[in-house]
Amino acid sequence: MSTETEVLEAADRLVEAFGRHDAAAYFACFDADADFIFYNHPQRLDSRSAWEQLWRQWESEDGFRVLGCRSTDRSVHVVDERTAIFTHAVETDVSLGGETSTSRERETIVFHRGDAGWVAVHEHLSPTEA
């Protein structure tokens, strides 16, 4: 199996888990030291646990729930045998505060191949125009 295919499969697992609001499976796709930059959050999150904490806060305070997620315009840039950069357009349906909305964004995820396979070590999310 090619590195590109392996990274696409890792990205599929991540997107699919996110799209069904399966927090355990979603966060398992990230290294513990992964960092996150989200345009809709004022600070960089410097670890998976920081993102997990924010996720739980959104759930408890705002009724956050991912209802679906679709990935298109996918690309993998293989840097070397242990590092790859995945980019895509992502459309996400969420429920927040009892209201449903759809966001359209661009996302970059850096993957690293470790002993357990490909895991995400960095995620950067940017808005796109509708």
Side-chain angles (χ1 to χ4, degrees), residues 51-64:
W51 178 203
E52 288 177 291
Q53 181 180 359
L54 181 61
W55 175 290
R56 287 190 303 272
Q57 178 184 338
W58 287 352
E59 285 177 323
S60 66
E61 294 178 7
D62 303 319
F64 169 70

Side-chain angles (χ1 to χ4, degrees), residues 42-121:
Q43 294 102 11
R44 180 184 62 241
L45 302 171
D46 290 322
S47 67
R48 180 182 66 207
S49 64
W51 178 203
E52 288 177 291
Q53 181 180 359
L54 181 61
W55 175 290
R56 287 190 303 272
Q57 178 184 338
W58 287 352
E59 285 177 323
S60 66
E61 294 178 7
D62 303 319
F64 169 70
R65 182 98 187 145
V66 181
L67 305 174
C69 186
R70 293 158 301 283
S71 172
T72 60
D73 193 22
R74 298 151 45 93
S75 176
V76 174
H77 173 78
V78 177
V79 176
D80 59 36
E81 63 191 31
R82 297 178 61 96
T83 308
I85 302 166
F86 170 74
T87 60
H88 66 146
V90 62
E91 186 176 81
T92 306
D93 305 317
V94 299
S95 177
L96 198 60
E99 295 190 25
T100 301
S101 65
T102 300
S103 60
R104 290 165 186 82
E105 299 151 322
R106 296 290 301 168
E107 185 171 47
T108 300
I109 303 172
V110 179
F111 283 93
H112 177 76
R113 185 196 323 246
D115 294 338
W118 289 97
V119 294
V121 295

Side-chain angles (χ1 to χ4, degrees), residues 10-65:
D12 285 343
R13 283 190 298 277
L14 188 154
V15 170
E16 289 168 6
F18 182 76
R20 58 177 195 273
H21 197 89
D22 184 343
Y26 169 68
F27 286 112
C29 295
F30 292 95
D31 185 80
D33 293 328
D35 63 359
F36 306 84
I37 298 174
F38 302 136
Y39 68 93
N40 56 356
H41 186 69
Q43 294 102 11
R44 180 184 62 241
L45 302 171
D46 290 322
S47 67
R48 180 182 66 207
S49 64
W51 178 203
E52 288 177 291
Q53 181 180 359
L54 181 61
W55 175 290
R56 287 190 303 272
Q57 178 184 338
W58 287 352
E59 285 177 323
S60 66
E61 294 178 7
D62 303 319
F64 169 70
R65 182 98 187 145

